[in-house]
């Protein structure tokens, strides 16, 4: 339980710093998808490896693992939502800055217009006075009048320079007036454009407020979802902790079921060896009799009997109960239960949909058809006695069938349907559990050449 609390504390710390992380890239999202697919495969594997354990205990553990698998995705969703919210806030702040700058520019344009209007009025008045003076004849004297009115050449030069200065000033005033008129028109155009920009920026601000509220609501929801998962994880961990006694009871039931299966196989092997010994003895007696009769006819001693040898068989005489290539969800061999302890998995678990036909692995006789009632660990179970092959006694066992298609004592041929894939017994999902027993010892079915494995 301490590990669970530590995990949740670390998870909370990771979430608290999520807002300052960078948004997930396309590669990171792809990695999350891969993680989810791996989690689904892990759940499938656990469903196989938990067989034989109390169903309620299996459900509790699978729920815990399912929740554990959802937490990384929930963390990513919180991070993404908070990053989107941060992006919306930054966009709103940038828009506000643009709006303030535009408003400042508009105020400056208005001040310029007022200032230039004042200057234009002064220039306009000056030009008006000049026009009225010209109309009255009060303008500057002509060059002749200056010459006649000057007593010296120096007086004429000074008067002429003064008149030229006044003329240039009046011309400059006229030019300035024309420039001010053009600038005023340009400022009015700029003012209209900036006012339009301000209206657009204000509308964008209103829209960004709505977007920001939506992003905040989504981030809050994703954060609440993550907190809910954390709470579920903690509660499920406590539930699992409380079921340790159920696990110990399940282990005891597994040991009983293992011993029952081993005893049934031992009885079949003993019968096979007895029949094989009788067959060999009968063949030997028949051969001896034939040899003696032949020797008597030839009037010579009977030859020594030829030693018998086991026939050679290929590694593919046993085929999978479902079509190859097969996908292994839980391999043959020692397994470690999530609750602690090691356990021998006597067979191999293969992926198979509910209701898929399962077939006899080789020719043989149905040694037993065991219904699920009273056979809680294995569910509906079929034993096929393949007799002595290559000098060894072989029996195959199939568990968890949905229904039977054979009966005890019935002869079957390789590939004949014996039943359909199910989830009877202490399992939580449909799959094939297939065992091969050789002289009373389980062997890995995947060592046979016909058991071609696929990896996806």
């Amino acid at each position: 339980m301490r590990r669970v609390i530590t995990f949740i504390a670390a998870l909370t710390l990771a979430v608290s710093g999520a807002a300052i992380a960078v948004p997930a890239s396309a590669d990171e999202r792809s990695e999350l998808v891969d993680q989810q697919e791996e989690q689904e495969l892990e759940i499938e594997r656990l469903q196989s490896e938990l067989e034989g354990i109390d169903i309620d205990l299996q459900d509790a553990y699978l729920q815990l693992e399912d929740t554990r698998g959802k937490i990384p995705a929930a963390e990513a969703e919180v991070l993404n939502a908070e990053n989107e919210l941060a992006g919306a806030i930054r966009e709103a702040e940038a828009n506000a800055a643009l709006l303030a700058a535009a408003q400042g520019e508009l105020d400056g344009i208005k001040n310029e217009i007022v200032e230039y209007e004042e200057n234009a009025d002064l220039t306009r008045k000056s030009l008006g006075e000049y026009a009225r003076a010209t109309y009255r004849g009060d303008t500057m004297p002509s060059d002749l009048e200056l010459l006649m009115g000057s007593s010296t050449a120096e007086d004429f030069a000074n008067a002429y320079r003064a008149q030229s200065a006044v003329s240039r000033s009046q011309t400059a005033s006229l030019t300035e007036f024309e420039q001010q008129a053009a600038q005023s028109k340009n400022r009015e155009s700029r003012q209209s454009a900036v006012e339009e920009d301000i209206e657009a920026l204000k509308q964008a601000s209103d829209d960004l407020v709505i977007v920001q509220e939506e992003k905040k609501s989504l981030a809050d929801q994703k954060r609440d979802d993550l907190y809910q998962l954390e709470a579920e994880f903690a509660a499920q961990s406590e539930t699992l902790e409380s079921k340790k006694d159920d696990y110990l009871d399940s282990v005891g039931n597994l040991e009983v079921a293992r011993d029952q299966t081993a005893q049934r196989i031992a009885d079949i092997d003993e019968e096979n060896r007895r029949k094989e010994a009788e067959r060999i003895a009968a063949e030997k007696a028949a051969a001896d009799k034939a040899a003696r009769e032949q020797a008597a006819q030839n009037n010579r001693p009977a030859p020594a009997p030829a030693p018998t040898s086991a026939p050679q068989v290929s590694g593919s005489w046993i085929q999978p109960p479902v079509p190859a290539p097969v996908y292994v969800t839980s391999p043959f061999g020692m397994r470690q239960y999530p609750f602690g302890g090691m356990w021998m998995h006597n067979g191999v678990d293969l992926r198979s949909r509910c209701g898929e036909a399962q077939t006899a692995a080789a020719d043989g006789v149905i040694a037993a058809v065991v219904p699920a009632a009273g056979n809680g660990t294995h569910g509906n179970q079929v034993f096929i006695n393949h007799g002595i092959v290559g000098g060894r006694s072989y029996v195959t066992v199939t568990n968890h069938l949905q229904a039977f298609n054979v009966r005890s004592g019935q002869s079957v041929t390789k590939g004949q349907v014996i039943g359909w894939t199910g989830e009877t017994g202490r399992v939580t999902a449909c799959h094939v559990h297939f065992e091969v027993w050789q002289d009373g010892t389980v062997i890995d079915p995947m060592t046979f050449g016909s058991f071609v494995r696929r990896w996806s």
Side-chain angles (χ1 to χ4, degrees), residues 208-277:
L208 287 171
V209 167
I210 296 174
V211 170
Q212 187 173 330
E213 290 175 349
E214 291 175 349
K215 297 294 185 184
K216 184 178 185 306
S217 177
L218 179 62
D220 290 342
Q221 179 61 50
K222 295 300 182 183
R223 199 177 298 108
D224 290 343
D225 291 344
L226 179 59
Y227 293 157
Q228 179 64 30
L229 282 174
E230 292 173 357
E232 289 179 10
F233 185 82
Q236 290 165 355
S237 298
E238 292 179 0
T239 298
L240 193 62
E241 189 78 13
S242 68
K243 290 182 175 292
K244 282 187 175 179
D245 291 341
D246 295 336
Y247 168 65
L248 295 176
D249 292 341
S250 295
V251 170
N253 292 332
L254 279 172
E255 292 173 348
V256 171
R258 177 196 60 191
D259 294 343
Q260 289 175 343
T261 298
Q263 184 58 54
R264 193 184 294 272
I265 298 296
D267 294 341
I268 295 172
D269 287 341
E270 184 179 354
E271 181 66 11
N272 285 342
R273 284 190 287 270
R274 183 185 65 77
K275 289 182 177 180
E276 183 68 2

Side-chain angles (χ1 to χ4, degrees), residues 87-155:
I89 293 173
R90 288 193 298 270
E91 189 174 357
E93 290 173 346
N95 187 78
L98 289 174
L99 182 58
Q103 190 64 56
E105 183 179 3
L106 179 61
D107 292 341
I109 291 172
K110 289 180 177 179
N111 291 334
E112 287 178 3
I113 289 175
V114 171
E115 181 181 350
Y116 281 117
E117 282 180 350
E118 292 175 352
N119 292 335
D121 287 342
L122 293 175
T123 303
R124 192 180 299 111
K125 290 177 181 178
S126 176
L127 290 174
E129 291 175 356
Y130 176 74
R132 287 191 295 272
T134 301
Y135 178 77
R136 293 193 304 266
D138 296 335
T139 54
M140 298 296 294
S142 66
D143 292 345
L144 181 59
E145 290 173 333
L146 288 175
L147 181 60
M148 295 298 294
S150 299
S151 58
T152 66
E154 185 178 357
D155 290 342

Side-chain angles (χ1 to χ4, degrees), residues 426-443:
R426 286 183 172 172
V427 294
T428 57
C430 290
H431 69 278
V432 173
H433 174 94
F434 182 73
E435 302 175 4
V436 177
W437 292 72
Q438 181 191 77
D439 289 335
T441 302
V442 285
I443 60 175

Side-chain angles (χ1 to χ4, degrees), residues 164-368:
S164 297
V166 171
S167 179
R168 286 196 301 272
S169 175
Q170 291 169 343
T171 302
S173 296
L174 180 59
T175 302
E176 183 179 357
F177 180 77
E178 292 173 347
Q179 291 175 347
Q180 287 174 353
Q183 289 174 350
S184 177
K185 185 175 181 179
N186 181 52
R187 291 189 190 92
E188 289 173 355
S189 298
R190 285 171 53 204
Q191 179 180 3
S192 297
V194 172
E195 287 174 345
E196 290 177 1
D197 290 343
I198 289 174
E199 287 300 319
L201 289 169
K202 286 182 177 178
Q203 181 60 51
S205 295
D206 294 339
D207 295 340
L208 287 171
V209 167
I210 296 174
V211 170
Q212 187 173 330
E213 290 175 349
E214 291 175 349
K215 297 294 185 184
K216 184 178 185 306
S217 177
L218 179 62
D220 290 342
Q221 179 61 50
K222 295 300 182 183
R223 199 177 298 108
D224 290 343
D225 291 344
L226 179 59
Y227 293 157
Q228 179 64 30
L229 282 174
E230 292 173 357
E232 289 179 10
F233 185 82
Q236 290 165 355
S237 298
E238 292 179 0
T239 298
L240 193 62
E241 189 78 13
S242 68
K243 290 182 175 292
K244 282 187 175 179
D245 291 341
D246 295 336
Y247 168 65
L248 295 176
D249 292 341
S250 295
V251 170
N253 292 332
L254 279 172
E255 292 173 348
V256 171
R258 177 196 60 191
D259 294 343
Q260 289 175 343
T261 298
Q263 184 58 54
R264 193 184 294 272
I265 298 296
D267 294 341
I268 295 172
D269 287 341
E270 184 179 354
E271 181 66 11
N272 285 342
R273 284 190 287 270
R274 183 185 65 77
K275 289 182 177 180
E276 183 68 2
E278 290 177 353
R279 183 188 67 78
I280 292 173
E283 288 180 355
K284 181 177 182 301
D288 289 347
K289 180 180 179 182
R292 286 193 301 269
E293 290 174 352
Q294 186 65 36
Q297 290 177 2
N298 297 333
N299 196 22
R300 64 177 65 177
T308 60
S309 59
Q312 299 298 313
V313 293
S314 69
S316 60
W317 69 275
I318 287 182
Q319 70 177 21
V322 290
V326 294
Y327 183 89
V328 178
T329 58
S330 183
F332 171 89
M334 296 300 294
R335 63 165 52 153
Q336 184 170 6
Y337 278 130
F339 314 103
M342 302 292 292
W343 186 258
M344 178 63 187
H345 187 220
N346 284 341
V348 61
D349 289 343
L350 309 176
R351 180 183 293 167
S352 179
R353 68 181 184 277
C354 296
E356 182 179 17
Q358 292 191 36
T359 60
D363 296 346
V365 176
I366 302 300

